[in-house]
Amino acid sequence: MKSARRRPLHAYTLTVLTATITRIDRSAVHDGPGVRTVVFFKGCPLRCEWCHSPETQAASPAIALYHERCIGCGSCMAACTNAAVTFVDGRHGVLRSRCRVCGECGDACPSGAREVIGRVVSVDDVMDAIERDVVFYDQSGGGVTASGGEPLLQAPFVEALLKHCRERGIATAVETCGLAPSGALLSVAPWTDLFLFDLKLMDAVRHRRVTGRSNRQILYNLRLLASRHRNVRIRFPLIPGVNDDPENLAATGAFLSSLGVTQLDVLPYHRGGVAKYERLDRQYALLDLAAPSAEEVDGTIAALTRHGLDVRIGGLR
Ligand code: SF4
Ligand code: SF4
């Protein structure tokens, strides 16, 4: 009798979806209704000058330095086999071109002054964290939010994650800057109960100046999404002197009215992320910018409300 032919082992592929995230926040209250578990995906196509999550911008992990915690013991330098730890005037540092982000220096540090930002996770890893919070969603009307960074840069993973949540009866939200292939946006839409869609500036040239990229694809995606999804909330970061002028507010209101999108959160600028730039050896562009006054926030809300928008004040991402 002819023996059945076996496929060689290498012909089988075991695909495990993974994503790079910075963290999973539990008990969050600013990223959708109720109490939420928020998954922060790593990587963003924009470089908004006011971004308060610069650690999410690069797609790959990096070492963050908490200078205020360093006691100068030198354990990090001894632990690094790649000669990537520096000391200048008693201040620890990193040669980022040499650093492999192995995390050995952080493990050796007795005071938590060095930390790897970014880790690779599977859908099961994230679902394990989510399962621990299900009781809070039930009590508060909350759920899970995919945020970032830009979650749509890792759309196959987000799609799989949100599908799992749906199967468990967990409400889902996606928080997006809108700059992604339209196919990525549409792939997650059927599994998303609520989109939180950033809209920063209507003029393409001004948008490029403060974020590094044109808004053409963002506006296209928003129009597309509004025509296919019934639950889209706009997030408008209010950055004084950048996007709070009458022309931009009028253009924003008119555009949203034309789409039939009525829900908008104004997110007043704050300086909560400034320290994170130093930890990554980066400069913060808006050092002289103050948070908007109550009058400025009220004026912005009034201008947007004139276009029939239902405007709330929310927390800045
Ligand atoms: S992460 Fe690894 S390679 Fe980078 S400085 Fe620390 S020990 Fe060295
Ligand atoms: S191991 Fe930590 S505390 Fe010691 S010098 Fe390095 S960063 Fe500073």
Side-chain angles (χ1 to χ4, degrees):
M1 200 170 75
K2 236 175 161 183
S3 63
R5 286 187 64 196
R6 287 201 170 161
R7 291 174 76 189
L9 204 54
H10 68 259
Y12 293 91
T13 51
L14 182 63
T15 306
V16 178
L17 271 179
T18 59
T20 306
I21 66 170
T22 57
R23 66 186 197 277
I24 299 174
D25 271 8
R26 303 174 65 194
S27 305
V29 292
H30 291 303
D31 302 286
V35 177
R36 309 194 71 83
T37 303
V38 183
V39 185
F40 291 90
F41 287 83
K42 202 152 166 29
C44 183
L46 299 182
R47 292 292 179 269
C48 304
E49 291 181 340
W50 57 88
C51 178
H52 78 161
S53 304
E55 76 283 8
T56 65
Q57 291 179 346
S60 48
I63 274 280
L65 308 174
Y66 298 80
H67 294 290
E68 69 284 4
R69 298 181 191 166
C70 177
I71 56 174
C73 67
S75 302
C76 51
M77 188 169 254
C80 181
T81 54
N82 219 36
V85 174
T86 62
F87 267 93
V88 178
D89 297 333
R91 184 178 163 105
H92 73 136
V94 60
L95 284 173
R96 295 192 182 272
S97 58
R98 295 190 63 102
C99 177
R100 289 176 292 113
V101 201
C102 66
E104 297 290 337
C105 56
D107 292 344
C109 176
S111 56
R114 303 173 74 94
E115 180 192 11
V116 174
I117 305 287
R119 63 191 164 103
V120 176
V121 293
S122 68
V123 174
D124 283 351
D125 293 335
V126 180
M127 285 307 297
D128 284 348
I130 288 170
E131 289 288 350
R132 283 182 257 145
D133 291 342
V134 167
V135 63
F136 300 116
Y137 313 148
D138 292 344
Q139 289 168 359
S140 67
V144 169
T145 301
S147 183
E150 176 45 59
L152 295 180
L153 294 187
Q154 304 185 71
F157 184 97
V158 175
E159 182 185 356
L161 179 68
L162 300 186
K163 270 186 195 172
H164 275 69
C165 290
R166 273 284 177 81
E167 283 164 11
R168 287 281 289 110
I170 297 169
T172 59
V174 169
E175 195 164 16
T176 178
C177 75
L179 185 51
S182 301
L185 181 67
L186 296 182
S187 71
V188 306
W191 318 105
T192 305
D193 296 313
L194 167 68
F195 276 96
L196 301 168
F197 198 111
D198 291 358
L199 189 56
K200 296 161 174 115
L201 264 166
M202 292 302 296
D203 182 84
V205 174
R206 289 172 61 188
H207 192 280
R208 182 187 289 280
R209 195 180 305 137
V210 293
T211 71
R213 300 286 293 272
S214 163
N215 62 0
R216 215 165 66 102
Q217 178 72 6
I218 295 170
L219 299 183
Y220 177 84
N221 276 341
L222 181 52
R223 190 180 292 281
L224 180 68
L225 188 64
S227 70
R228 301 200 182 194
H229 199 282
R230 60 183 175 74
N231 204 2
V232 180
R233 275 199 89 87
I234 302 302
R235 311 209 104 190
F236 178 81
L238 167 51
I239 317 298
V242 172
N243 64 354
D244 60 344
D245 52 286
E247 294 76 22
N248 185 54
L249 296 178
T252 301
F255 179 63
L256 295 178
S257 296
S258 75
L259 303 186
V261 173
T262 58
Q263 306 290 312
L264 183 143
D265 294 332
V266 168
L267 312 175
Y269 168 75
H270 66 72
R271 300 173 60 81
V274 176
K276 295 179 181 177
Y277 285 80
E278 189 188 18
R279 289 174 200 151
L280 297 168
D281 298 327
R282 290 179 53 184
Q283 298 285 325
Y284 184 65
L286 303 178
L287 273 178
D288 297 328
L289 187 65
S293 65
E295 291 73 28
E296 287 171 321
V297 174
D298 288 347
T300 297
I301 291 173
L304 292 168
T305 303
R306 260 178 236 129
H307 292 270
L309 298 172
D310 177 8
V311 182
R312 293 187 321 195
I313 300 181
L316 189 61
R317 42 180 311 212

